[in-house]
Amino acid sequence: MGSGSQIHYKQNRLKQLRAFCHAARTGSVSAAADKIFLSQPTVSLQIQALEREFDTVLFERRGPKIRLTPEGQLLFQMAEPLVEGMDRLHDAFAIQCGRVDQGVLNIAAGESTILYILPEPVRTFVAQYPGIELKLHNVTGRDGLAMLRSDAADLAVGSMLEVPDDINYRPFVTYRPTLITPLDHPLAKLEKVTLEDIAPFGLILPPRHLSTWRMVDLVFKQHNLAYRVTLEAGGWEVIKKYVALGQGISIVTDVCLTGDERLARMPLDQYFPKRSYGIVQRRGKFLSPQTKCFVKILDKAFADHVVEPQQRTVGEAEWDDAMLG
């Protein structure tokens, strides 16, 4: 085989492995094609070429979704670092040369994280690295994890109740469950508030399908207490506003409390779990220099904060944001 044909062969091999790795991450040939800007038939042909060469089946095909076979899983483990290394060669070279003055950083986070946790780290990052384009994607739950798995996001910041096998979660701060009431509310006069005290008053909660409602429902049922919801509203800022207006009381995570609100607040640690927030990444992902810089800034910003183990009371695998899903 001549040198020209060897180069062509190696270029084809890299393309085939790239198509294969993206299909393995996304579980979809069409999603992989979108990610690497190729047609769906081209990606299918590249995967088939690998299967012929290795004389094996790499994917089980079930309708539009595909799953790795044991042989496919083995090849993925071997090929992923190679493809990652080639795709990130430019960034890796830049960091070796000490240059982190350009590029793009994609961060996935929910509304609460973007509003209450990220403003100061983002301000610091933008000031230190003005040449890097920072993109904040307001997503939670499965959408956030899907962005990580497809490499549409370099990292996510949020709260995880359960951590899937292919995801790394490193908490850096913990917040407390807190009852908020108007300043002149009867409960504001109590030194310590119990669930029995809260039960007669109308609650303002996020929409029913999100985890705050499920958590409240679970805890009240565990204590054989009835409760009532007088207002359903999305977003901590909206909830705080209507509590201050006297439309009800609420149970929030104190990540959303700045201290400037005209609200009474009482901890409810004895009933509801504390919530950690942390850095969420795809396991085995090559960390770009931009990502490493942002993670350092986050760690420094929250170096003095308490980090406690995540308490699990909901048996569902979900990543949500400050119990707001």
Side-chain angles (χ1 to χ4, degrees):
M1 186 182 290
S3 61
S5 59
Q6 285 180 338
I7 293 170
H8 181 68
Y9 172 76
K10 289 176 181 177
Q11 288 174 338
N12 280 344
R13 168 65 62 79
L14 179 60
K15 289 176 182 176
Q16 290 165 2
L17 290 175
R18 183 180 284 116
F20 164 70
C21 285
H22 281 288
R25 285 181 202 140
T26 59
S28 163
V29 171
S30 60
D34 290 341
K35 178 71 179 172
I36 55 180
F37 307 107
L38 293 175
S39 68
Q40 188 171 333
T42 300
V43 171
S44 294
L45 287 171
Q46 289 175 340
I47 293 170
Q48 288 166 18
L50 279 177
E51 290 181 322
R52 282 197 305 274
E53 183 175 346
F54 290 102
D55 191 25
T56 191
V57 177
L58 298 174
F59 290 106
E60 296 175 11
R61 291 162 177 84
R62 297 180 181 176
K65 281 290 179 185
I66 55 176
R67 288 183 58 185
L68 287 168
T69 61
E71 294 80 6
Q73 188 66 49
L74 177 61
L75 182 61
F76 181 56
Q77 290 171 0
M78 297 171 69
E80 187 181 32
L82 301 174
V83 173
E84 285 269 356
M86 287 300 296
D87 287 349
R88 295 287 188 176
L89 184 60
H90 183 274
D91 285 343
F93 182 75
I95 198 169
Q96 290 299 326
C97 296
R99 289 181 55 212
V100 192
D101 56 0
Q102 58 190 20
V104 180
L105 178 60
N106 287 280
I107 299 173
E111 184 175 301
S112 297
T113 303
I114 292 172
L115 279 175
Y116 309 117
I117 290 179
L118 291 183
E120 191 57 30
V122 164
R123 188 191 66 79
T124 303
F125 184 84
V126 170
Q128 289 185 15
Y129 306 102
I132 297 175
E133 184 182 356
L134 183 62
K135 296 182 179 180
L136 293 179
H137 302 269
N138 188 352
V139 292
T140 54
R142 292 188 182 92
D143 292 338
L145 290 176
M147 287 192 72
L148 288 177
R149 287 172 173 142
S150 67
D151 286 335
D154 296 289
L155 77 156
V157 182
S159 180
M160 297 198 76
L161 293 174
E162 294 188 9
V163 185
D165 291 339
D166 62 333
I167 296 295
N168 276 328
Y169 175 60
R170 180 170 65 79
F172 55 76
V173 64
T174 304
Y175 291 98
R176 306 173 75 184
T178 302
L179 176 73
I180 56 173
T181 73
L183 291 174
D184 59 354
H185 195 276
L187 293 181
K189 300 176 177 63
L190 301 179
E191 283 190 20
K192 189 174 181 181
V193 176
T194 67
L195 280 185
E196 288 82 0
D197 296 326
I198 296 170
F201 297 98
L203 291 170
I204 301 175
L205 293 181
R208 186 181 294 265
H209 67 279
L210 301 180
S211 62
T212 297
W213 193 308
R214 292 198 296 274
M215 192 74 72
V216 169
D217 183 68
L218 176 68
V219 170
F220 273 90
K221 282 179 177 174
Q222 285 174 341
H223 290 79
N224 295 314
L225 289 170
Y227 67 96
R228 61 191 179 92
V229 176
T230 55
L231 182 62
E232 187 177 322
W236 293 134
E237 289 302 311
V238 176
I239 288 172
K240 289 192 298 181
K241 178 73 172 177
Y242 279 88
V243 170
L245 290 172
Q247 300 302 302
I249 62 177
S250 188
I251 298 164
V252 303
T253 303
D254 69 353
V255 63
C256 72
L257 300 176
T258 64
D260 297 328
E261 300 91 356
R262 292 187 55 76
L263 295 168
R265 50 192 286 183
M266 290 137 277
L268 292 176
D269 306 42
Q270 71 272 35
Y271 300 115
F272 296 91
K274 294 178 181 178
R275 291 299 293 271
S276 68
Y277 282 74
I279 295 160
V280 189
Q281 292 172 316
R282 177 171 64 77
R283 192 179 292 275
K285 180 175 175 59
F286 180 95
L287 298 186
S288 71
Q290 295 88 348
T291 304
K292 289 179 179 177
C293 290
F294 191 82
V295 168
K296 282 183 182 177
I297 288 172
L298 267 180
D299 285 337
K300 187 174 181 181
F302 290 92
D304 298 331
H305 286 66
V306 176
V307 182
E308 297 182 14
Q310 182 74 64
Q311 295 168 270
R312 282 186 52 209
T313 60
V314 178
E316 298 179 44
E318 61 177 312
W319 162 39
D320 62 18
D321 193 79
M323 302 167 77
L324 265 183

